[in-house]
Each structure stands twice: as structure tokens, then as C-alpha cells.
Amino acid sequence: MSTIADLAPRGDRPRRRHGLPPIGLWWPRLEHPLQWELLENLDAPLRPAVVRRVFDLCDLEDRPLPLGLVRLDVDERAFIAGWAHTLSWD
């Protein structure tokens, strides 16, 4: 028996309820200064420039930014906590 997966086109990646692509796609590629900015206060809303950079990293630059404030959800904050040890704080 075989299964055929109907893969979504590249631009139709799943996005979280707040409009960001899955964090595993963009967090590892986000520049360290922006990672540090987010780590300073994971509960704070993301600046529009950070949201735009996330979209750029995921090849979604043609998509409009989500309306309103964008905040990381609890799962995304937990994901980042697992990556925090990889950053150099020097």
C-alpha cells in the first residue's frame, strides 16, 4: 500500500494563528541581534521589522504583515528556550 501526499505549494506553508510561519523555519536563521532582542522579553509584541524579517526568511515577502500585535505563543517560547543555550552572550 502506498500513500500520496498532497504537498502545499511553497508559498502556502502553514502559519500559526497570529500569522507567523512555524518557528522552526525562521528562528535558527534569524540574526543573533534579533534573537537577543526577542529573548530579552519573550512576552512582548514583536516589532514590525522583526515580523517582516521572519517573513523574508520564509520567502513570504510578498505577503502582507499580520494586522495588530504579534506575540509568540507558549509553544514558540518553549522552542526558543531550547535554543537559548546556543547563543553566544559575549
Side-chain angles (χ1 to χ4, degrees):
M1 184 162 115
S2 63
T3 303
I4 298 174
D6 185 18
L7 299 176
R10 185 175 181 150
D12 292 336
R13 291 183 180 137
R15 290 192 279 171
R16 309 284 298 196
R17 190 170 42 144
H18 51 49
L20 290 178
I23 194 165
L25 295 176
W26 57 267
W27 178 261
R29 298 186 299 162
L30 192 65
E31 293 82 1
H32 282 197
L34 294 178
Q35 288 179 339
W36 293 332
E37 177 182 329
L38 295 181
L39 283 166
E40 285 179 7
N41 186 354
L42 292 173
D43 295 319
L46 277 61
R47 292 185 304 114
V50 174
V51 176
R52 171 52 56 205
R53 182 64 184 138
V54 167
F55 274 51
D56 291 346
L57 289 171
C58 295
D59 296 325
L60 298 172
E61 55 274 333
D62 58 332
R63 301 278 178 101
L65 294 180
L67 299 175
L69 296 177
V70 175
R71 295 178 190 270
L72 300 174
D73 66 23
V74 66
D75 294 330
E76 291 165 329
R77 292 190 304 267
F79 180 92
I80 290 173
W83 275 84
H85 70 279
T86 66
L87 297 177
S88 170
W89 293 99
D90 295 333

Coordinates of all heavy atoms in Angstrom, one line a residue:
M1 N 0.8 -1.2 0.0 CA 0.0 0.0 0.0 C 0.9 1.2 0.0 O 1.9 1.3 0.6 CB -0.9 0.0 1.3 CG -1.9 1.1 1.3 SD -3.1 0.7 2.5 CE -2.9 2.0 3.6
S2 N 0.5 2.3 -0.7 CA 1.3 3.5 -0.8 C 0.4 4.7 -0.5 O -0.8 4.6 -0.6 CB 1.9 3.6 -2.1 OG 1.0 3.8 -3.1
T3 N 1.0 5.7 -0.1 CA 0.3 7.0 0.2 C 0.9 8.1 -0.6 O 2.1 8.2 -0.8 CB 0.5 7.4 1.7 OG1 0.1 6.3 2.5 CG2 -0.2 8.6 2.1
I4 N 0.0 8.9 -1.1 CA 0.4 10.1 -1.9 C 0.1 11.3 -1.1 O -1.0 11.5 -0.7 CB -0.3 10.1 -3.3 CG1 0.0 8.9 -4.1 CG2 0.0 11.4 -4.0 CD1 -0.8 8.8 -5.4
A5 N 1.1 12.1 -0.8 CA 1.0 13.3 0.0 C 0.7 14.4 -1.0 O 1.4 14.6 -2.0 CB 2.2 13.5 0.8
D6 N -0.3 15.2 -0.7 CA -0.6 16.4 -1.5 C 0.1 17.6 -0.8 O -0.4 18.1 0.1 CB -2.1 16.6 -1.6 CG -2.5 17.8 -2.5 OD1 -1.6 18.2 -3.3 OD2 -3.6 18.3 -2.4
L7 N 1.3 17.8 -1.2 CA 2.1 18.9 -0.6 C 1.6 20.3 -1.1 O 1.3 20.5 -2.2 CB 3.6 18.7 -1.0 CG 4.2 17.4 -0.5 CD1 5.6 17.3 -1.0 CD2 4.1 17.3 1.0
A8 N 1.5 21.2 -0.1 CA 1.1 22.5 -0.4 C 2.2 23.2 -1.1 O 3.4 23.0 -0.9 CB 0.8 23.3 0.9
P9 N 1.9 24.1 -2.1 CA 3.0 24.9 -2.7 C 3.8 25.7 -1.7 O 3.3 26.0 -0.6 CB 2.2 25.9 -3.6 CG 0.8 25.3 -3.7 CD 0.6 24.5 -2.5
R10 N 5.0 26.0 -2.0 CA 5.9 26.7 -1.1 C 5.3 27.9 -0.4 O 5.6 28.1 0.8 CB 7.2 27.0 -1.8 CG 8.3 27.6 -0.9 CD 9.5 27.8 -1.7 NE 10.5 28.3 -0.8 CZ 11.8 28.1 -0.9 NH1 12.3 27.5 -1.9 NH2 12.6 28.6 0.0
G11 N 4.6 28.7 -1.1 CA 4.0 29.9 -0.5 C 2.9 29.7 0.4 O 2.4 30.6 1.1
D12 N 2.4 28.5 0.5 CA 1.2 28.1 1.3 C 1.6 27.3 2.5 O 0.9 26.4 3.0 CB 0.2 27.4 0.5 CG -0.5 28.2 -0.6 OD1 -0.5 29.5 -0.4 OD2 -1.0 27.7 -1.6
R13 N 2.7 27.6 3.1 CA 3.1 27.0 4.3 C 2.1 27.3 5.4 O 1.6 28.3 5.5 CB 4.5 27.5 4.8 CG 5.6 27.0 3.8 CD 6.9 27.5 4.4 NE 8.0 27.1 3.5 CZ 9.0 27.9 3.1 NH1 9.1 29.1 3.6 NH2 9.9 27.5 2.3
P14 N 2.0 26.3 6.3 CA 1.1 26.6 7.5 C 1.6 27.7 8.3 O 2.8 27.9 8.5 CB 1.0 25.3 8.2 CG 2.3 24.5 7.8 CD 2.6 25.0 6.4
R15 N 0.7 28.5 8.8 CA 1.1 29.6 9.7 C 0.3 29.5 11.0 O -0.8 29.0 11.0 CB 0.8 31.0 9.1 CG 1.8 31.2 7.9 CD 1.8 32.6 7.5 NE 0.6 32.8 6.6 CZ 0.2 34.0 6.1 NH1 0.8 35.1 6.5 NH2 -0.8 34.1 5.3
R16 N 0.8 30.0 12.1 CA 0.2 30.0 13.4 C -1.0 30.9 13.4 O -1.1 31.8 12.5 CB 1.2 30.3 14.5 CG 2.5 29.6 14.5 CD 2.4 28.2 15.0 NE 2.0 28.2 16.4 CZ 2.1 27.2 17.1 NH1 2.6 26.1 16.7 NH2 1.7 27.2 18.4
R17 N -1.8 30.9 14.4 CA -3.0 31.7 14.5 C -2.6 33.2 14.4 O -3.4 34.0 13.8 CB -3.7 31.4 15.8 CG -5.0 32.0 15.9 CD -5.8 31.5 17.1 NE -4.9 31.4 18.2 CZ -5.3 31.6 19.5 NH1 -6.5 32.0 19.7 NH2 -4.4 31.5 20.5
H18 N -1.5 33.6 14.9 CA -1.1 35.0 14.8 C -0.5 35.4 13.5 O -0.2 36.6 13.3 CB -0.1 35.3 15.9 CG 1.1 34.4 16.0 ND1 1.9 34.1 14.9 CD2 1.6 33.7 17.1 CE1 2.8 33.2 15.3 NE2 2.7 33.0 16.6
G19 N -0.3 34.5 12.6 CA 0.1 34.8 11.2 C 1.6 34.5 10.9 O 2.0 34.7 9.8
L20 N 2.4 34.1 11.9 CA 3.8 33.8 11.6 C 3.9 32.4 11.1 O 3.1 31.5 11.5 CB 4.6 33.9 12.9 CG 4.8 35.3 13.5 CD1 5.6 35.2 14.8 CD2 5.5 36.2 12.5
P21 N 4.9 32.1 10.3 CA 5.2 30.8 9.9 C 5.7 30.0 11.1 O 6.0 30.5 12.1 CB 6.3 30.9 8.8 CG 6.4 32.4 8.5 CD 5.8 33.1 9.6
P22 N 5.8 28.6 11.0 CA 6.3 27.8 12.1 C 7.7 28.3 12.5 O 8.6 28.6 11.7 CB 6.3 26.4 11.5 CG 5.3 26.4 10.4 CD 5.3 27.8 9.8
I23 N 7.9 28.4 13.8 CA 9.1 29.0 14.4 C 10.4 28.1 14.0 O 11.4 28.7 13.8 CB 9.0 29.1 15.9 CG1 10.1 30.0 16.4 CG2 9.0 27.8 16.6 CD1 9.9 30.5 17.8
G24 N 10.2 26.9 13.7 CA 11.3 26.0 13.4 C 11.9 26.4 12.0 O 13.1 26.1 11.7
L25 N 11.1 27.1 11.2 CA 11.6 27.6 9.9 C 12.5 28.8 10.0 O 13.4 29.0 9.2 CB 10.4 27.9 8.9 CG 9.6 26.7 8.6 CD1 8.4 27.1 7.7 CD2 10.4 25.6 7.8
W26 N 12.1 29.7 10.9 CA 12.8 31.0 10.9 C 13.7 31.3 12.1 O 14.7 32.0 12.0 CB 11.8 32.2 10.8 CG 10.7 32.2 11.9 CD1 9.5 31.7 11.8 CD2 10.8 32.9 13.1 NE1 8.8 31.9 12.9 CE2 9.5 32.7 13.7 CE3 11.7 33.6 13.8 CZ2 9.2 33.2 15.0 CZ3 11.5 34.1 15.0 CH2 10.2 33.9 15.6
W27 N 13.5 30.7 13.3 CA 14.3 31.0 14.4 C 15.8 30.7 14.2 O 16.7 31.5 14.5 CB 13.8 30.4 15.7 CG 14.6 30.6 16.9 CD1 15.6 29.8 17.4 CD2 14.7 31.8 17.7 NE1 16.2 30.4 18.5 CE2 15.7 31.6 18.7 CE3 14.0 33.0 17.6 CZ2 16.0 32.6 19.6 CZ3 14.3 34.0 18.6 CH2 15.3 33.8 19.6
P28 N 16.1 29.5 13.7 CA 17.5 29.1 13.5 C 18.2 30.0 12.5 O 19.4 30.2 12.6 CB 17.5 27.7 13.0 CG 16.1 27.2 13.4 CD 15.2 28.3 13.4
R29 N 17.5 30.7 11.6 CA 18.1 31.6 10.6 C 18.1 33.0 11.0 O 18.7 33.9 10.3 CB 17.5 31.3 9.3 CG 17.7 29.9 8.8 CD 17.1 29.7 7.4 NE 15.7 29.9 7.4 CZ 15.1 30.2 6.2 NH1 15.7 30.2 5.1 NH2 13.8 30.4 6.3
L30 N 17.3 33.4 12.1 CA 17.2 34.8 12.5 C 18.6 35.3 13.0 O 19.3 34.5 13.7 CB 16.1 34.9 13.5 CG 15.7 36.3 13.9 CD1 15.0 36.9 12.7 CD2 14.7 36.2 15.1
E31 N 18.9 36.5 12.7 CA 20.2 37.0 13.1 C 20.3 37.1 14.6 O 19.3 37.4 15.3 CB 20.4 38.4 12.5 CG 20.6 38.4 11.0 CD 19.3 38.4 10.2 OE1 18.2 38.3 10.8 OE2 19.3 38.3 9.0
H32 N 21.5 36.9 15.2 CA 21.6 36.9 16.6 C 21.2 38.1 17.3 O 20.5 38.0 18.3 CB 23.1 36.6 17.0 CG 23.4 35.1 16.9 ND1 24.5 34.6 17.5 CD2 22.8 34.1 16.3 CE1 24.6 33.3 17.2 NE2 23.5 33.0 16.5
P33 N 21.4 39.3 16.8 CA 20.9 40.5 17.5 C 19.3 40.5 17.6 O 18.8 40.9 18.6 CB 21.3 41.7 16.6 CG 22.6 41.2 15.9 CD 22.3 39.7 15.6
L34 N 18.7 40.0 16.6 CA 17.2 39.9 16.7 C 16.8 38.8 17.6 O 15.8 38.9 18.3 CB 16.6 39.7 15.3 CG 16.8 40.8 14.3 CD1 16.2 40.5 12.9 CD2 16.1 42.1 14.9
Q35 N 17.5 37.7 17.6 CA 17.2 36.6 18.6 C 17.4 37.2 20.0 O 16.5 37.0 20.9 CB 18.2 35.4 18.4 CG 17.9 34.6 17.2 CD 18.8 33.5 17.0 OE1 19.9 33.4 17.6 NE2 18.4 32.5 16.3
W36 N 18.5 37.9 20.3 CA 18.7 38.5 21.6 C 17.6 39.5 22.0 O 17.1 39.5 23.1 CB 20.0 39.2 21.7 CG 21.2 38.3 21.6 CD1 21.3 37.0 21.9 CD2 22.5 38.7 21.0 NE1 22.5 36.5 21.7 CE2 23.3 37.5 21.1 CE3 23.0 39.8 20.5 CZ2 24.6 37.5 20.7 CZ3 24.3 39.8 20.1 CH2 25.1 38.6 20.2
E37 N 17.1 40.3 21.0 CA 16.0 41.2 21.2 C 14.8 40.4 21.7 O 14.1 40.8 22.7 CB 15.7 42.0 20.0 CG 14.5 42.9 20.1 CD 14.2 43.6 18.8 OE1 15.1 43.9 18.0 OE2 13.0 43.9 18.6
L38 N 14.5 39.3 21.1 CA 13.3 38.6 21.5 C 13.5 37.9 22.8 O 12.6 37.8 23.6 CB 13.0 37.5 20.4 CG 12.5 38.0 19.0 CD1 12.2 36.9 18.1 CD2 11.4 39.0 19.1
L39 N 14.7 37.4 23.1 CA 15.0 36.8 24.3 C 14.9 37.7 25.5 O 14.6 37.3 26.7 CB 16.4 36.1 24.3 CG 16.4 34.8 23.5 CD1 17.9 34.4 23.3 CD2 15.7 33.7 24.3
E40 N 15.1 39.0 25.3 CA 15.0 40.0 26.4 C 13.6 40.0 27.0 O 13.5 40.2 28.2 CB 15.4 41.4 25.9 CG 16.9 41.5 25.7 CD 17.3 42.9 25.2 OE1 16.4 43.8 25.1 OE2 18.4 43.1 24.8
N41 N 12.6 39.8 26.2 CA 11.2 39.8 26.7 C 10.4 39.0 25.7 O 9.8 39.5 24.8 CB 10.7 41.2 26.9 CG 9.3 41.2 27.6 OD1 8.7 40.1 27.8 ND2 8.8 42.3 27.9
L42 N 10.3 37.7 26.0 CA 9.5 36.8 25.1 C 8.0 37.1 25.1 O 7.3 36.6 24.2 CB 9.8 35.3 25.5 CG 11.2 34.8 25.2 CD1 11.3 33.4 25.8 CD2 11.5 34.8 23.8
D43 N 7.5 37.8 26.1 CA 6.1 38.1 26.1 C 5.7 39.4 25.4 O 4.6 39.7 25.2 CB 5.6 38.2 27.6 CG 5.8 36.9 28.3 OD1 5.4 35.8 27.7 OD2 6.2 36.9 29.5
A44 N 6.7 40.2 25.0 CA 6.5 41.4 24.4 C 6.0 41.2 22.9 O 6.4 40.2 22.3 CB 7.8 42.3 24.4
P45 N 5.3 42.2 22.4 CA 4.9 42.1 21.0 C 6.2 42.2 20.1 O 7.1 42.9 20.5 CB 3.9 43.2 20.8 CG 3.9 44.0 22.0 CD 4.7 43.3 23.1
L46 N 6.2 41.5 19.0 CA 7.3 41.6 18.1 C 7.2 42.9 17.3 O 6.1 43.3 16.9 CB 7.3 40.5 17.1 CG 7.9 39.2 17.6 CD1 7.2 38.6 18.8 CD2 7.9 38.2 16.4
R47 N 8.3 43.6 17.1 CA 8.3 44.8 16.3 C 8.0 44.5 14.8 O 8.3 43.4 14.4 CB 9.7 45.5 16.3 CG 10.1 46.1 17.6 CD 11.4 46.8 17.6 NE 12.5 46.0 17.1 CZ 13.2 46.2 15.9 NH1 12.9 47.2 15.1 NH2 14.2 45.4 15.6
P48 N 7.3 45.3 14.1 CA 7.0 45.1 12.7 C 8.3 44.7 11.9 O 8.2 43.9 11.0 CB 6.4 46.4 12.2 CG 5.8 47.0 13.4 CD 6.7 46.6 14.6
A49 N 9.4 45.3 12.2 CA 10.6 45.0 11.5 C 11.1 43.5 11.7 O 11.6 42.9 10.8 CB 11.8 45.9 11.9
V50 N 10.8 43.0 12.9 CA 11.2 41.6 13.2 C 10.2 40.7 12.4 O 10.6 39.7 11.8 CB 11.1 41.4 14.7 CG1 11.3 39.9 15.0 CG2 12.2 42.2 15.4
V51 N 8.9 41.0 12.4 CA 7.9 40.2 11.7 C 8.2 40.2 10.2 O 8.2 39.2 9.6 CB 6.5 40.8 12.0 CG1 5.5 40.0 11.2 CG2 6.2 40.7 13.5
R52 N 8.6 41.4 9.7 CA 9.0 41.4 8.3 C 10.2 40.6 8.0 O 10.2 39.9 7.0 CB 9.3 42.9 7.9 CG 9.9 43.1 6.5 CD 9.1 42.5 5.3 NE 7.7 42.9 5.3 CZ 6.8 42.1 4.7 NH1 7.1 40.9 4.1 NH2 5.6 42.5 4.6
R53 N 11.2 40.6 8.9 CA 12.4 39.7 8.7 C 12.0 38.2 8.7 O 12.5 37.4 7.9 CB 13.4 40.1 9.7 CG 14.7 39.3 9.6 CD 15.4 39.6 8.3 NE 16.6 38.8 8.1 CZ 16.9 38.2 6.9 NH1 16.2 38.5 5.8 NH2 18.0 37.5 6.8
V54 N 11.1 37.9 9.6 CA 10.6 36.5 9.7 C 10.0 36.1 8.3 O 10.3 35.0 7.8 CB 9.6 36.3 10.8 CG1 8.9 35.0 10.7 CG2 10.3 36.4 12.2
F55 N 9.1 37.0 7.8 CA 8.5 36.7 6.5 C 9.6 36.6 5.4 O 9.5 35.7 4.6 CB 7.5 37.8 6.2 CG 6.1 37.5 6.8 CD1 6.0 37.2 8.1 CD2 5.0 37.6 6.0 CE1 4.7 37.0 8.7 CE2 3.7 37.3 6.5 CZ 3.6 37.0 7.9
D56 N 10.6 37.4 5.4 CA 11.6 37.4 4.4 C 12.4 36.1 4.5 O 12.7 35.5 3.5 CB 12.6 38.5 4.6 CG 12.0 39.9 4.3 OD1 10.9 39.9 3.6 OD2 12.6 40.9 4.6
L57 N 12.7 35.6 5.7 CA 13.4 34.4 5.9 C 12.7 33.2 5.4 O 13.2 32.2 5.0 CB 13.8 34.2 7.4 CG 14.9 35.1 7.9 CD1 14.9 34.9 9.4 CD2 16.2 34.8 7.3
C58 N 11.3 33.3 5.4 CA 10.5 32.2 5.0 C 10.0 32.4 3.5 O 9.0 31.7 3.1 CB 9.3 32.0 5.9 SG 9.8 31.5 7.6
D59 N 10.6 33.3 2.8 CA 10.2 33.6 1.4 C 8.7 34.0 1.3 O 8.0 33.6 0.3 CB 10.5 32.3 0.5 CG 11.9 32.0 0.4 OD1 12.8 33.0 0.4 OD2 12.3 30.8 0.3
L60 N 8.3 34.7 2.2 CA 6.9 35.2 2.2 C 6.9 36.8 2.1 O 5.9 37.4 2.6 CB 6.2 34.8 3.5 CG 6.0 33.3 3.7 CD1 5.5 33.0 5.1 CD2 5.2 32.7 2.6
E61 N 7.9 37.3 1.5 CA 8.0 38.8 1.5 C 6.9 39.4 0.7 O 6.6 40.6 0.9 CB 9.3 39.3 1.0 CG 9.7 38.7 -0.4 CD 10.4 37.4 -0.3 OE1 11.1 37.1 0.7 OE2 10.3 36.6 -1.3
D62 N 6.2 38.7 -0.2 CA 5.1 39.2 -0.9 C 3.8 39.2 -0.1 O 2.8 39.8 -0.6 CB 4.9 38.4 -2.2 CG 4.6 36.9 -2.0 OD1 5.1 36.4 -0.9 OD2 4.0 36.3 -2.8
R63 N 3.8 38.6 1.0 CA 2.6 38.5 1.9 C 2.5 39.8 2.8 O 3.5 40.3 3.3 CB 2.6 37.3 2.8 CG 2.6 36.0 2.0 CD 1.3 35.6 1.5 NE 1.3 34.4 0.8 CZ 1.0 33.2 1.3 NH1 0.6 33.1 2.5 NH2 1.0 32.1 0.5
P64 N 1.3 40.2 3.0 CA 1.2 41.4 4.0 C 1.4 40.9 5.4 O 1.2 39.7 5.8 CB -0.3 41.8 3.8 CG -1.0 40.6 3.3 CD 0.0 39.8 2.5
L65 N 1.9 41.8 6.2 CA 2.2 41.5 7.6 C 0.9 41.3 8.3 O -0.2 41.9 8.0 CB 2.9 42.7 8.3 CG 4.4 42.9 7.8 CD1 5.0 44.1 8.6 CD2 5.2 41.7 8.0
P66 N 0.8 40.5 9.4 CA -0.4 40.3 10.2 C -0.8 41.6 10.8 O 0.0 42.5 11.1 CB 0.0 39.3 11.3 CG 1.3 38.7 10.8 CD 1.9 39.7 9.9
L67 N -2.1 41.8 10.9 CA -2.7 43.0 11.5 C -2.6 42.9 13.0 O -2.7 41.9 13.6 CB -4.1 43.2 11.1 CG -4.3 43.4 9.6 CD1 -5.8 43.4 9.3 CD2 -3.6 44.6 9.0
G68 N -2.4 44.1 13.6 CA -2.3 44.1 15.1 C -1.0 43.6 15.6 O 0.0 43.4 14.9
L69 N -1.0 43.4 17.0 CA 0.2 43.0 17.6 C 0.5 41.5 17.4 O -0.4 40.7 17.4 CB 0.1 43.2 19.1 CG 0.0 44.7 19.6 CD1 -0.2 44.8 21.1 CD2 1.2 45.5 19.1
V70 N 1.7 41.2 17.2 CA 2.1 39.8 17.1 C 3.0 39.4 18.3 O 4.0 40.0 18.6 CB 2.9 39.5 15.8 CG1 3.4 38.1 15.7 CG2 2.1 39.9 14.5
R71 N 2.5 38.3 19.0 CA 3.2 37.8 20.1 C 3.5 36.3 19.9 O 2.7 35.6 19.3 CB 2.4 38.0 21.4 CG 2.2 39.4 21.8 CD 1.3 39.5 23.1 NE 0.8 40.8 23.3 CZ 1.5 41.7 24.1 NH1 2.6 41.4 24.6 NH2 1.0 42.9 24.3
L72 N 4.6 35.9 20.5 CA 4.9 34.4 20.5 C 3.9 33.7 21.4 O 3.6 34.2 22.5 CB 6.3 34.2 20.9 CG 7.4 34.9 20.0 CD1 8.8 34.7 20.7 CD2 7.4 34.4 18.6
D73 N 3.5 32.5 21.0 CA 2.6 31.7 21.9 C 3.5 30.9 22.8 O 4.7 30.9 22.7 CB 1.6 30.9 21.1 CG 2.2 29.8 20.2 OD1 3.4 29.4 20.5 OD2 1.6 29.4 19.2
V74 N 2.9 30.1 23.7 CA 3.6 29.4 24.7 C 4.5 28.3 24.0 O 5.6 28.1 24.5 CB 2.6 28.8 25.7 CG1 1.7 27.7 25.1 CG2 3.4 28.2 26.9
D75 N 4.1 27.7 23.0 CA 4.9 26.7 22.3 C 6.1 27.3 21.7 O 7.2 26.7 21.7 CB 4.1 25.9 21.3 CG 3.0 25.1 21.9 OD1 3.2 24.6 23.0 OD2 2.0 24.9 21.2
E76 N 6.0 28.5 21.1 CA 7.1 29.2 20.5 C 8.1 29.6 21.5 O 9.3 29.5 21.3 CB 6.6 30.3 19.6 CG 5.8 29.9 18.4 CD 5.0 31.0 17.8 OE1 4.6 31.9 18.5 OE2 4.8 30.9 16.5
R77 N 7.6 30.1 22.6 CA 8.5 30.5 23.7 C 9.3 29.3 24.3 O 10.5 29.4 24.6 CB 7.7 31.2 24.8 CG 7.2 32.6 24.4 CD 6.6 33.4 25.5 NE 5.6 32.7 26.3 CZ 4.3 32.9 26.1 NH1 3.9 33.6 25.1 NH2 3.4 32.2 26.9
A78 N 8.6 28.1 24.3 CA 9.3 26.9 24.8 C 10.4 26.5 23.7 O 11.5 26.1 24.1 CB 8.3 25.8 25.0
F79 N 10.1 26.6 22.5 CA 11.0 26.3 21.4 C 12.3 27.2 21.6 O 13.4 26.7 21.5 CB 10.4 26.5 20.0 CG 11.3 26.2 18.9 CD1 11.3 24.9 18.3 CD2 12.1 27.2 18.4 CE1 12.1 24.7 17.2 CE2 12.9 26.9 17.3 CZ 13.0 25.6 16.7
I80 N 12.0 28.5 21.8 CA 13.2 29.4 21.9 C 14.0 29.1 23.2 O 15.2 29.2 23.1 CB 12.7 30.9 21.9 CG1 12.1 31.2 20.5 CG2 13.8 31.8 22.4 CD1 11.5 32.6 20.5
A81 N 13.3 28.7 24.2 CA 14.1 28.3 25.4 C 15.1 27.2 25.2 O 16.2 27.2 25.7 CB 13.1 28.0 26.6
G82 N 14.7 26.3 24.3 CA 15.6 25.2 24.0 C 16.8 25.6 23.1 O 17.8 25.0 23.1
W83 N 16.6 26.7 22.4 CA 17.7 27.3 21.6 C 18.6 28.3 22.3 O 19.7 28.6 21.9 CB 17.1 27.9 20.4 CG 16.8 27.0 19.3 CD1 15.7 26.2 19.1 CD2 17.7 26.7 18.2 NE1 15.8 25.5 18.0 CE2 17.0 25.7 17.4 CE3 18.9 27.1 17.8 CZ2 17.5 25.2 16.2 CZ3 19.4 26.6 16.6 CH2 18.8 25.6 15.8
A84 N 18.1 28.8 23.5 CA 18.8 29.9 24.1 C 20.2 29.5 24.5 O 21.1 30.4 24.4 CB 18.1 30.3 25.4
H85 N 20.5 28.3 24.8 CA 21.9 27.9 25.2 C 22.9 27.9 24.0 O 24.1 27.9 24.2 CB 21.9 26.5 25.8 CG 21.6 25.4 24.8 ND1 20.3 25.1 24.4 CD2 22.4 24.6 24.1 CE1 20.4 24.1 23.5 NE2 21.6 23.8 23.3
T86 N 22.4 28.0 22.7 CA 23.3 28.0 21.6 C 23.8 29.4 21.3 O 24.7 29.6 20.5 CB 22.5 27.5 20.3 OG1 21.5 28.4 20.0 CG2 22.0 26.1 20.6
L87 N 23.2 30.4 21.9 CA 23.6 31.8 21.6 C 24.8 32.2 22.4 O 25.0 31.8 23.5 CB 22.5 32.8 21.9 CG 21.2 32.7 21.1 CD1 20.2 33.6 21.6 CD2 21.5 32.9 19.6
S88 N 25.7 33.0 21.8 CA 26.9 33.5 22.5 C 26.5 34.8 23.1 O 26.1 35.7 22.4 CB 28.0 33.7 21.5 OG 29.1 34.4 22.1
W89 N 26.7 34.9 24.4 CA 26.3 36.1 25.1 C 27.5 37.0 25.3 O 27.5 37.9 26.1 CB 25.6 35.8 26.4 CG 24.3 35.1 26.2 CD1 24.1 33.8 26.2 CD2 23.1 35.8 25.9 NE1 22.8 33.6 25.9 CE2 22.1 34.7 25.7 CE3 22.7 37.1 25.7 CZ2 20.8 35.0 25.4 CZ3 21.4 37.3 25.4 CH2 20.5 36.3 25.2
D90 N 28.6 36.8 24.6 CA 29.8 37.6 24.8 C 29.6 38.9 24.1 O 29.0 39.1 23.1 CB 31.0 36.9 24.2 CG 31.3 35.6 24.9 OD1 31.0 35.6 26.1 OD2 31.9 34.7 24.3

